[in-house]
Amino acid sequence: RILLLFVFIYYDYILNKIRNQDYSNMAKEVASYTDVANQIIKLVLSGSAQKRSYERLSNFTDAIGNRVSGSHNLELAIAYMYNAMSQDGLDVHLEPVKVPHWVRGEEGAEMVLPRPKTLAMLGLGSSVGTPPEGIEAEVVVVSSFEDLKSRGANVSGRIVVFNQPFVSYGETVAYRAFGASEAAKLGAVAALIRSVTPVSINSPHTGVQDYQEGVRRIPAACITVEDAQLMARMAARGQRVVVRLNMGAKTLPDADSFNTVAEIRGWQHPEQVVVLSGHLDSWDVGQGAMDDGGGAIISWEALSVIKDLGLRPRRTLRAVLWTAEEQGGVGAQQYYQRHKANISNFDLVMESDLGTFAPVALQFTGSPAAQKVMQEVVQLLAPLNTTRLEPHGEGTDIGPWMQAGVPGASLHVEDDRYFWFHHSEGDTMSVQSPGAMDRCSALWAVVAYVVADLQDMLPR
């Protein structure tokens, strides 16, 4: 028994020694890219690529504007990016997909009682419209789903105004997504949702909403924080609040669209891929500069920088500009279905969809062994002061790949202002900073290139 115990201890010692040696070799390999990483960062922050991502984004969004799924503007955006990336010397192609085609139409809302007031509003994506004559009904104001249920029969025939407080986007967005169906279950004729934002200057914020199967579909729109609070105060005083709502919204048959793909082919393993991505579509308000023009542009810019330096990694770098993300990652889901048979060759999937403000860290989902590799990779970002690796890479478009076990990364930025402008007329170039976009582009390029050029793929 003593001999057997000795054998086990010695075996464990040898395994640990091998692991430590493997880690040491890996760390040395990653560290060998320090000069290349510094070249990339220098080119973007102070070289010929300085402010280029910002200029590309401003040229694009000023020319095209917003680009909702199924719209002519989205078609123009795809053609614009195809031509621009082709002229940049990248290998570009389009992959066809079918996408939802919801049209807002003419819309408006006004409070009739206790005094006339125009209500700033935006219909929610996939909402049905009102009858041509509109809907005029008394309002019931609620602060939560529990509050709604407690009103019971008092909801029937009324317009429900949700005046829920903003806690976090992840928690509060449930009211935008499910408020209409929850109200319809109790007989409401329409739902007005307080915009999901922590800050408002009388600005409505749109977004997609989901009707539940088997529940009557009623018109749904977002209103401003100010107007939701106003009607809540009036109702609390016992005043009768009446609103007239007109919405010309309708859903047309699915439209043809494309995911836009640009590549730098790998020299040794072209079949193996590192994906960088952002979504090209937006809502039909503002310019879609922040959500997610910036993410799309830095994914293109990363490939441009690598090409400008004459670099070509072992594996293929693939920038994918998704279509119809705002409708639930529709373009990305179809991309996954088309390419999942080749999943073993997807090394890393990256997505930027929370703005391109100043970068703070890289978020990552992967095996413990892959995390060790990525922890070394982010040390190359010391000139950007973003050497922190955080858990939980995220992104609607890369979600299917991560759920299937592919390592995933996302950009963590100083996003405290993100939901101030999200899905509103405020999402314009005015919220973007050239310096912040440069830092995001440099980070994106360094991480993508190094991972694509390492001897081995990230361990699963």
Side-chain angles (χ1 to χ4, degrees):
R1 289 180 181 178
I2 294 174
L3 179 61
L4 187 61
L5 179 61
F6 174 78
V7 169
F8 279 136
I9 292 173
Y10 182 73
Y11 180 71
D12 187 58
Y13 165 76
I14 294 298
L15 281 180
N16 283 330
K17 189 173 182 180
I18 293 171
R19 289 192 195 103
N20 290 336
Q21 185 61 48
D22 287 346
Y23 178 81
S24 176
N25 291 340
M26 177 273 293
K28 288 178 182 177
E29 183 189 4
V30 174
S32 72
Y33 287 93
T34 299
D35 288 345
V36 172
N38 288 341
Q39 288 177 45
I40 291 172
I41 293 169
K42 182 179 179 180
L43 181 67
V44 177
L45 298 192
S46 59
S48 60
Q50 185 181 20
K51 298 184 180 179
R52 188 169 65 186
S53 59
Y54 177 88
E55 290 167 0
R56 285 175 166 175
L57 180 61
S58 63
N59 291 340
F60 169 63
T61 57
D62 289 350
I64 304 298
N66 56 59
R67 42 207 183 273
V68 71
S69 175
S71 68
H72 180 59
N73 269 20
L74 181 55
E75 293 178 11
L76 293 176
I78 292 168
Y80 181 107
M81 295 301 293
Y82 177 89
N83 291 330
M85 293 192 295
S86 296
Q87 291 168 13
D88 194 32
L90 300 174
D91 181 7
V92 188
H93 69 273
L94 302 176
E95 299 192 8
V97 294
K98 286 286 189 180
V99 299
H101 190 187
W102 175 80
V103 178
R104 179 177 302 283
E106 295 294 321
E107 61 183 15
E110 60 179 322
M111 185 171 66
V112 179
L113 292 174
R115 65 175 174 85
K117 183 186 187 302
T118 299
L119 303 176
M121 56 82 72
L122 287 170
L124 293 176
S126 81
S127 175
V128 298
T130 63
E133 68 276 12
I135 293 173
E136 184 173 318
E138 189 170 344
V139 159
V140 56
V141 182
V142 300
S143 60
S144 65
F145 288 129
E146 291 73 22
D147 189 10
L148 172 69
K149 292 174 184 176
S150 73
R151 305 301 180 97
N154 291 331
V155 174
S156 183
R158 297 190 180 187
I159 294 174
V160 171
V161 170
F162 285 91
N163 181 39
Q164 77 288 341
F166 182 89
V167 179
S168 68
Y169 184 77
E171 181 175 339
T172 312
V173 75
Y175 290 91
R176 190 191 76 201
F178 309 121
S181 288
E182 292 301 317
K185 291 175 184 178
L186 296 175
V189 295
L192 299 177
I193 318 295
R194 171 173 156 171
S195 288
V196 184
T197 178
V199 174
S200 179
I201 49 171
N202 207 45
S203 51
H205 296 239
T206 190
V208 74
Q209 64 91 39
D210 298 312
Y211 287 122
Q212 295 177 33
E213 288 294 329
V215 178
R216 183 171 55 90
R217 299 187 172 194
I218 61 174
C222 59
I223 58 174
T224 69
V225 171
E226 293 88 341
D227 285 337
Q229 292 176 335
L230 170 66
M231 288 186 278
R233 292 193 302 271
M234 289 174 166
R237 297 185 191 111
Q239 293 176 290
R240 183 169 177 259
V241 181
V242 175
V243 166
R244 182 183 299 119
L245 178 66
N246 290 87
M247 291 175 59
K250 56 185 176 181
T251 298
L252 303 177
D254 285 355
D256 293 321
S257 190
F258 300 91
N259 290 318
T260 309
V261 182
E263 291 184 340
I264 295 176
R265 297 274 290 172
W267 66 266
Q268 185 176 28
H269 301 293
E271 76 285 359
Q272 297 174 0
V273 181
V274 168
V275 172
L276 312 85
S277 70
H279 66 86
L280 202 54
D281 65 303
S282 72
W283 282 105
D284 55 343
V285 290
Q287 289 183 288
M290 180 191 73
D291 185 17
D292 181 34
I297 292 294
I298 68 165
S299 297
W300 166 23
E301 180 67 17
L303 267 60
S304 281
V305 170
I306 290 163
K307 177 185 64 66
D308 290 348
L309 288 170
L311 300 172
R312 187 181 177 193
R314 297 175 191 276
R315 298 173 192 83
T316 294
L317 286 172
R318 179 179 297 167
V320 184
L321 314 186
W322 310 108
T323 191
E325 185 277 342
E326 296 292 2
Q327 282 64 39
V330 174
Q333 286 283 352
Q334 292 176 57
Y335 181 89
Y336 175 74
Q337 292 301 323
R338 177 174 295 177
H339 294 280
K340 66 180 181 180
N342 196 34
I343 195 168
S344 63
N345 282 324
F346 278 74
D347 189 8
L348 173 67
V349 288
M350 303 164 59
E351 179 173 2
S352 170
D353 189 22
L354 276 174
T356 45
F357 302 111
V360 173
L362 187 73
Q363 298 165 316
F364 180 73
T365 293
S367 67
Q371 289 176 32
K372 289 181 179 179
V373 176
M374 294 305 293
Q375 185 62 64
E376 296 301 319
V377 171
V378 297
Q379 301 313 306
L380 300 172
L381 303 173
L384 299 173
N385 195 30
T386 52
T387 57
R388 194 162 79 242
L389 187 72
E390 297 177 343
H392 309 308
E394 59 181 289
T396 298
D397 297 307
I398 62 173
W401 297 97
M402 291 192 295
Q403 290 168 15
V406 177
S410 53
L411 191 58
H412 180 190
V413 299
E414 293 179 353
D415 56 4
D416 53 308
R417 296 185 301 134
Y418 182 78
F419 291 107
W420 296 11
F421 312 109
H422 183 247
H423 295 181
S424 78
E425 291 287 1
D427 182 356
T428 69
M429 282 302 300
S430 296
V431 310
Q432 299 294 141
S433 159
M437 286 198 68
D438 282 347
R439 293 179 63 201
C440 289
S441 298
L443 183 156
W444 224 222
V446 169
V447 171
Y449 176 77
V450 172
V451 172
D453 199 56
L454 291 173
Q455 288 283 346
D456 298 317
M457 291 177 64
L458 293 175
R460 298 285 170 94

